[in-house]
Amino acid sequence: MKMRLVSVVAVSVVALSLVFSAGLFGQSPPTAPATSRVAIPAKAGEKFDLAWIGKIVRVSDPQIAPDGKSLAVVVVRNDYDEDLNVSELALVDTATGKTRSLTHGRKTASFPRWSPMGDRLAFLAGDAEKHNQIFVLDMAGGDAEQVTKSPTSIQQFAWKPDGTAFAYAAIDEAPKLKDADKFDDAFEVGNGSFLDREKALPTHLWLIGAEGREAKRLTQGAWSLPVAFPPGPPASPIAFTPDGTKLIYVRLENTYSGDRKYSSPQVLDLATGKSEAITTHTTWAGFPVISPDGAHVAYLYLRDGVERNYEDIYVVNGLKGDGANITQAIDRNFYRALWTPDSKAILTGANDGATAALWLQPLDGKAARLDLNGVTPNTGYWLDVNVGAQGQIAFAGTEPHRPAEIYLIDSPTAKPRRLTTFNAAFDDGLKLGKSDVVTWQSPDKAPKNWTENGILTYPPDYAPGKKLPLVLYIHGGPNSASKDTFSTFAQLIAAQGWLVFEPNYRGSDNYGNDFFRAIIDDSGDGPGRDVFAGLDMLKKRGIVDENNIAVTGWSYGGYMTTWLMGHAQFWKAAIAGAPVTNLLDQYNLSDANVARAGAIGGSPYTGDWMKHWVEQSPITYYDKMVTPTLVLQDVGDYRVTITQGYELYHSLKDRGVKTYFYAYPIGGHSPADPVRMRDVYRRWIEWLGEYLPRN
């Protein structure tokens, strides 16, 4: 379940989509070592299974060198023996795609950023204390040199435009207490998660020379820069102005997670040490980026300043003002703004129908949608794109039958070309399920009679017209969308001989602001009608075994799973991952807590709003739930509290409904490590296999 947290990482298991696209499941180890550089090609007729999930290489954060001749990228592989996502950096030639490793012997390497001249590459990696530090690699040769010695992990950094220094963000160091003072640890509770054991320390800015030495503190106080709460977008990036005299960043008024909406773009004068707000907006404003010529600042802000609206891109002339909304006409929910080298336009992207799209939006005039030739950019609440100084566009994206690679667009009028081949093994003989975009009309009358869509994935050997069991997988968020692209989860389920249906219900962010807002104070009924209408459309095609339909989902998908269980009894099986079952627990105990009031209309403790919260909580309808159910959740889930998993478990088990609840003894909204992610897959498939026949 994702809250709109403009300046911090928000939500769902990627709505579980990212977790499933990166994760693993199965009954046996991969056939090749997880750290193998070259995957073994498929045998003739081989189907997608655990071994193939283990071969998937994840790529992200492409960064084009200033001369445009190469790019750096983060490459992640799974190490099951150590239960790690091992990340390294690779260098890719933009003309030939030739690739070589840049980092060796490290378990983590991330956030590659080129020096202004392109002669050095800086990145984040762990030190002996496992704190992320800035390292710099001379591209002429030699080992990477450690620049910083921060007592806490550095979260992000930016090169000074002349290449002589770095600005970076790091959380404050906790005071060192001795003797009895170590136990004097009561803390003031505010709008934080029930998992809090102390008041979070703030994150602030520092400056250090590119050669290292002593770091200079730039900001301090009880306020904070945003930090990342995965899964979701990174914290709002910091950046120098082109003349190197100022820094652009985002200020949060305190460190309580429920107050993250109180955010505003700021500019810090390095000479005076004083900061000023760029805009008058003090809520939901973030991700400011300055144009290459220093004349404009673009930032994300809610359309018309109305809570629960799409995020649009506003552009300010200079460093002061609210600016103008330049993307409202596109009517999509934007994740990011990237300037073109000439400072005359912004590249941006968003979910769009059954895909994700990129647009080039000039400061004046109509946006142009780029032709991506069937490639879908990665948009996990962030746009994984980079614009180079020569005007090239690099992005991580997928095609329907291939996991993510890096693609390059040489000019705005060119089509993308696949640059990397990390997942080349998927090209040879592997049998994958075909996916279709399906559409239907929402069941409501005008003005809500939308044409809705979803993704239907068939088993690899599907015979047209044959009726098969169907697994409903509902995305989380809810402001996310299922897209027609490579889906590890859908392919894995389809390989069992089942149809997989991923509906985009109202509240999804792929069809316009009105569709997006239609979920306000209608958390379950409206989206539920959309899902049922989509199922009815598929039944009319004569391809669904109507006696064998399962409902599953994670986060808000878990909310919809339990809501549908309480409003229909034909489900053969259900899986509720990190399920939102009690909205009051979400308000009182989760990390976003009071910020969730906008999704309903008001606090449950004011006016007559309490009945709205209760009526829209799936647990209210527990006595109608009769479906055999598997519940999965992390004990330290700050986004959807595990209390709700327990409520669902007892409400079913006490009435004799077959129910199993497996909890993972870790923090986070879903397992992110390879071994536990594999276990999620294994339990998911095994549970469905108990109830659905395989064909």
Side-chain angles (χ1 to χ4, degrees):
M1 186 173 190
K2 179 187 182 259
M3 293 301 297
R4 298 176 59 78
L5 304 176
V6 170
S7 7
V8 299
V9 169
V11 248
S12 78
V13 163
V14 194
L16 202 59
S17 60
L18 286 185
V19 166
F20 276 142
S21 66
L24 301 143
F25 109 91
Q27 298 83 13
S28 58
T31 56
T35 54
S36 173
R37 298 297 185 198
V38 180
I40 300 172
K43 299 176 183 178
E46 189 174 350
K47 293 182 180 180
F48 192 67
D49 59 10
L50 171 64
W52 277 97
I53 297 174
K55 296 175 185 178
I56 294 176
V57 179
R58 284 102 70 198
V59 295
S60 64
D61 202 11
Q63 295 293 314
I64 303 172
D67 64 6
K69 295 180 180 180
S70 61
L71 63 80
V73 62
V74 179
V75 182
V76 181
R77 296 176 173 87
N78 299 302
D79 183 337
Y80 291 103
D81 291 338
E82 298 293 330
D83 193 25
L84 294 173
N85 296 302
V86 179
S87 60
E88 65 178 12
L89 304 182
L91 186 71
V92 184
D93 186 286
T94 56
T96 66
K98 185 177 180 180
T99 302
R100 66 179 176 89
S101 295
L102 287 174
T103 55
H104 306 275
R106 300 181 185 277
K107 293 184 177 179
T108 62
S110 63
F111 206 79
R113 295 296 183 269
W114 292 97
S115 65
M117 295 301 293
D119 58 333
R120 291 162 290 167
L121 184 72
F123 61 94
L124 293 178
D127 61 12
E129 303 298 322
K130 297 184 179 180
H131 293 143
N132 268 351
Q133 305 290 352
I134 300 173
F135 288 78
V136 174
L137 183 66
D138 190 325
M139 299 308 292
D143 295 331
E145 298 290 336
Q146 182 175 335
V147 174
T148 58
K149 295 182 180 179
S150 173
T152 63
S153 282
I154 292 173
Q155 298 163 14
Q156 58 164 307
F157 65 86
W159 282 94
K160 192 174 181 181
D162 62 4
T164 62
F166 295 102
Y168 67 86
I171 193 170
D172 283 358
E173 187 178 11
K176 292 179 173 61
L177 303 177
K178 297 181 179 180
D179 303 323
D181 289 341
K182 293 187 295 185
F183 309 103
D184 189 8
D185 54 6
F187 66 98
E188 182 182 4
V189 171
N191 292 328
S193 161
F194 88 116
L195 293 169
D196 292 350
R197 295 295 177 266
E198 59 187 3
K199 185 177 179 181
L201 293 167
T203 291
H204 282 287
L205 290 170
W206 297 75
L207 186 72
I208 191 169
E211 75 288 349
R213 300 180 185 173
E214 194 72 22
K216 176 186 177 181
R217 189 183 184 106
L218 297 177
T219 62
Q220 59 186 335
W223 64 272
S224 177
L225 272 75
V227 298
F229 284 81
S236 184
I238 61 175
F240 283 91
T241 56
D243 62 8
T245 64
K246 299 177 177 65
L247 272 171
I248 306 295
Y249 68 96
V250 163
R251 171 181 170 128
L252 303 181
E253 292 309 307
N254 62 57
T255 61
Y256 289 117
S257 57
D259 292 338
R260 292 192 294 245
K261 72 176 184 178
Y262 300 111
S263 62
S264 60
Q266 304 278 322
V267 57
L268 168 67
D269 187 301
L270 294 174
T272 65
K274 293 182 179 180
S275 289
E276 290 186 339
I278 294 174
T279 83
T280 63
H281 304 311
T282 57
T283 59
W284 303 119
F287 294 94
V289 286
I290 193 160
S291 60
D293 63 5
H296 313 282
V297 173
Y299 67 100
L300 299 185
Y301 183 57
L302 300 181
R303 175 171 300 189
D304 302 322
V306 176
E307 193 164 352
R308 305 297 297 181
N309 268 1
Y310 270 174
E311 291 170 7
D312 276 313
I313 297 172
Y314 291 71
V315 174
V316 178
N317 293 326
L319 297 177
K320 194 76 173 178
D322 292 342
N325 183 344
I326 66 169
T327 55
Q328 185 159 350
I330 306 176
D331 198 19
R332 289 295 181 265
N333 189 38
F334 295 105
Y335 299 131
R336 194 178 177 193
L338 299 99
W339 286 98
T340 55
D342 61 6
S343 300
K344 294 181 179 180
I346 283 174
L347 181 78
T348 188
N351 291 332
D352 183 41
T355 187
L358 299 179
W359 289 267
L360 198 61
Q361 172 67 67
L363 295 184
D364 296 304
K366 186 178 180 181
R369 192 177 190 272
L370 304 189
D371 182 358
L372 300 184
N373 199 31
V375 183
T376 300
N378 288 354
T379 51
Y381 304 113
W382 181 247
L383 185 63
D384 199 1
V385 175
N386 180 239
V387 179
Q390 311 302 315
Q392 300 150 300
I393 300 167
F395 66 94
T398 68
E399 299 175 63
H401 283 163
R402 188 179 179 123
E405 299 282 7
I406 300 301
Y407 295 80
L408 190 71
I409 302 175
D410 293 301
S411 71
T413 58
K415 294 182 180 180
R417 52 188 176 91
R418 186 194 302 155
L419 198 59
T420 63
T421 56
F422 290 106
N423 290 299
F426 284 75
D427 289 341
D428 302 317
L430 184 64
K431 297 183 69 174
L432 294 171
K434 176 180 178 292
S435 62
D436 284 338
V437 178
V438 293
T439 61
W440 64 94
Q441 293 301 120
S442 73
D444 297 353
K445 296 180 180 179
K448 296 182 178 181
N449 188 230
W450 300 287
T451 297
E452 300 171 342
N453 77 3
I455 311 301
L456 178 67
T457 303
Y458 303 87
D461 295 319
Y462 178 69
K466 185 176 182 180
K467 288 189 175 185
L468 292 179
L470 181 141
V471 177
L472 185 65
Y473 177 68
I474 309 173
H475 72 72
N479 47 321
S480 178
S482 294
K483 296 178 281 289
D484 186 22
T485 186
F486 184 87
S487 169
T488 301
F489 178 75
Q491 290 294 341
L492 188 62
I493 295 293
Q496 312 303 310
W498 306 320
L499 298 169
V500 184
F501 179 42
E502 302 171 83
N504 287 319
Y505 50 88
R506 70 190 68 185
S508 302
D509 65 352
N510 63 329
Y511 262 148
N513 194 59
D514 290 343
F515 188 69
F516 182 75
R517 286 183 56 83
I519 203 172
I520 297 175
D521 201 23
D522 189 14
S523 305
D525 264 343
R529 292 194 300 274
D530 296 336
V531 173
F532 283 133
L535 278 177
D536 288 342
M537 173 271 300
L538 292 179
K539 290 176 183 179
K540 291 176 182 177
R541 292 189 175 194
I543 61 174
V544 178
D545 177 353
E546 298 185 22
N547 295 318
N548 286 293
I549 301 176
V551 57
T552 72
W554 197 283
S555 193
Y556 205 93
Y559 171 94
M560 288 305 304
T561 294
T562 50
W563 180 271
L564 294 172
M565 287 168 58
H567 291 77
Q569 287 71 45
F570 61 79
W571 312 108
K572 198 68 177 288
I575 301 175
V580 178
T581 63
N582 189 332
L583 294 179
L584 292 175
D585 282 10
Q586 286 294 93
Y587 183 87
N588 293 315
L589 306 177
S590 78
D591 66 323
N593 51 82
V594 299
R596 299 183 183 278
I600 302 297
S603 163
Y605 306 110
T606 61
D608 64 351
W609 286 111
M610 176 63 76
K611 66 180 182 181
H612 295 249
W613 289 78
V614 173
E615 288 172 353
Q616 294 173 57
S617 294
I619 201 66
T620 300
Y621 310 97
Y622 74 90
D623 59 335
K624 305 294 193 302
M625 300 180 188
V626 296
T627 306
T629 303
L630 173 66
V631 184
L632 301 170
Q633 194 162 13
D634 292 352
V635 298
D637 190 341
Y638 48 75
R639 191 62 38 77
V640 177
T641 61
I642 198 171
T643 56
Q644 299 173 77
Y646 278 100
E647 289 177 72
L648 179 62
Y649 173 69
H650 288 296
S651 70
L652 296 173
K653 192 173 181 62
D654 292 358
R655 293 183 297 109
V657 178
K658 186 176 179 180
T659 309
Y660 286 89
F661 184 5
Y662 290 93
Y664 298 94
I666 55 175
H669 187 41
S670 66
D673 60 291
V675 172
R676 292 185 181 91
M677 283 196 291
R678 179 172 61 186
D679 190 70
V680 169
Y681 279 114
R682 178 181 65 81
R683 295 185 187 279
W684 206 282
I685 297 300
E686 288 181 353
W687 184 258
L688 293 175
E690 286 190 34
Y691 298 95
L692 301 180
R694 288 182 169 89
N695 292 277

